[in-house]
Amino acid sequence: MTTDTITRKRPTPLNALVLTQSSVERLRVQLGNRVGALGRGVDEAEQPVPGVYGELFALLEQMEDRIEQEYEAALRAYPIYGAWLSHVKGIGTALSAQMLAMLIVPEPGMNVGVWYKTGGLVPEWHEDQQAWRLPRPRKVRCAQCQGTAFELITDTEDRVCKGCETVLPEDAGKLTYYKYLRRCLHNVATSFVRVGGYYREVYNRTKARLQTQHAGDKAWPVHRIDDVARWIMIKLFLSHLFSKWAELEGFTAPRPYALEILGHDQGGYIAPPEWDGKTKM
């Protein structure tokens, strides 16, 4: 998969709403921080705090609420939302909108691994830790002088080391995943764990298994076990979402890699939960 595929923009009404909501939220947080600093006396630029700040803050909250009201209308263009996703406990309208706006629509020949790659859920080998970990931003160092300060040459768009003028490789330090999707999936995982339901049960079972499997292992502290359990839960959720969405697109999703390629026990397959028409899953 190319970087272009991972980060490509999706010019849909839902995507536009999500981007707009993100911009408004960012401004609201910045304004809130400003008002808070003035109120605590940390920032003495204006005393007392101008009343207009409170009015603007309230307006921004109203704008966010209005955008979220429009999510329902925009989500009608995604049959998977009404057919399955809206019945999953722990993922409401806003989280569904944010996630669907960034996921590539399933198509024949594609598997859920594309989503895993896009969301940064494919582990990478970290030589310094001698362990498999999810990809994350890393500080870039010059291969010649180990410097970390670089400047961008506008004409060529090259990044050049300030210490020895070595040109960095084009892909050095660039993310291999879509960080906003990764953040969204993290929020989905947090919501599942807090609210309960089918996927909270998956988290509980996975966490218990990892605690037993890595008991006494200093390389597996409590926070790592918790993180891994959450991401395993999210990967199962995504595989279920992909499978149900593929059905609505008119094709059958490929069998899981562990079964199709690695030949694991067919009994290990976990099918998507089905809504009973009454209670959220």
Side-chain angles (χ1 to χ4, degrees):
M1 177 184 296
T2 65
T3 303
D4 288 341
T5 302
I6 292 175
T7 60
R8 69 185 181 186
K9 302 295 183 183
R10 297 186 60 210
T12 64
L14 182 59
N15 183 262
L17 276 174
V18 169
L19 292 176
T20 301
Q21 191 273 336
S22 178
S23 298
V24 173
E25 179 185 39
R26 189 179 304 112
L27 179 56
R28 175 180 57 78
V29 171
Q30 291 172 344
L31 183 59
N33 291 338
R34 171 75 165 160
V35 172
L38 288 168
R40 295 191 306 272
V42 178
D43 187 334
E44 300 178 355
E46 298 180 67
Q47 294 292 345
V49 179
V52 68
Y53 285 172
E55 296 173 16
L56 290 173
F57 190 84
L59 286 173
L60 290 170
E61 287 186 315
Q62 292 173 22
M63 289 172 66
E64 284 190 272
D65 291 341
R66 184 68 186 87
I67 291 170
E68 291 191 10
Q69 291 173 11
E70 286 299 308
Y71 280 156
E72 282 285 358
L75 283 169
R76 294 194 191 106
Y78 295 79
I80 183 60
Y81 177 71
W84 189 80
L85 186 57
S86 63
H87 306 302
V88 176
K89 192 173 183 178
I91 180 165
T93 304
L95 275 178
S96 295
Q98 292 165 20
M99 183 180 66
L100 293 179
M102 291 183 279
L103 290 176
I104 300 170
V105 178
E107 55 187 38
M110 173 181 163
N111 60 44
V112 71
V114 173
W115 286 0
Y116 293 165
K117 178 69 174 177
T118 307
L121 302 183
V122 178
E124 298 177 343
W125 178 253
H126 288 229
E127 195 67 35
D128 56 335
Q129 301 179 38
Q130 290 294 296
W132 291 92
R133 297 292 177 87
L134 293 186
R136 64 181 187 272
R138 300 186 186 182
K139 182 176 289 187
V140 180
R141 292 187 178 276
C142 174
Q144 298 298 321
C145 68
Q146 297 301 303
T148 58
F150 304 91
E151 64 177 331
L152 179 67
I153 307 302
T154 305
D155 294 341
T156 62
E157 296 189 354
D158 288 332
R159 289 177 293 166
V160 177
C161 175
K162 289 185 177 181
C164 65
E165 298 186 349
T166 298
V167 177
L168 279 180
E170 184 178 352
D171 61 348
K174 291 188 176 180
L175 293 178
T176 57
Y177 61 94
Y178 194 11
K179 65 179 181 180
Y180 297 110
L181 177 57
R182 171 98 154 249
R183 182 186 303 167
C184 176
L185 294 174
H186 178 273
N187 292 339
V188 172
T190 299
S191 183
F192 282 160
V193 172
R194 286 178 179 171
V195 174
Y198 177 90
Y199 291 101
R200 170 60 193 254
E201 294 175 4
V202 171
Y203 163 82
N204 289 342
R205 293 195 300 269
T206 304
K207 187 174 182 179
R209 175 176 59 80
L210 291 172
Q211 287 173 331
T212 301
Q213 182 179 346
H214 299 287
D217 189 343
K218 294 182 179 180
W220 282 81
V222 174
H223 67 84
R224 183 181 180 188
I225 288 176
D226 181 70
D227 286 345
V228 172
R230 287 173 185 245
W231 288 125
I232 289 175
M233 170 188 66
I234 283 296
K235 291 182 77 171
L236 180 63
F237 162 69
L238 288 176
S239 73
H240 289 166
L241 177 63
F242 187 93
S243 177
K244 302 300 287 187
W245 199 346
E247 289 178 11
L248 295 174
E249 294 294 324
F251 70 97
T252 301
R255 293 197 308 162
Y257 179 85
L259 303 182
E260 185 71 21
I261 306 300
L262 301 182
H264 288 188
D265 182 10
Q266 299 289 329
Y269 173 68
I270 302 175
E274 299 293 342
W275 185 47
D276 62 7
K278 299 177 181 178
T279 308
K280 283 201 170 190
M281 302 175 288

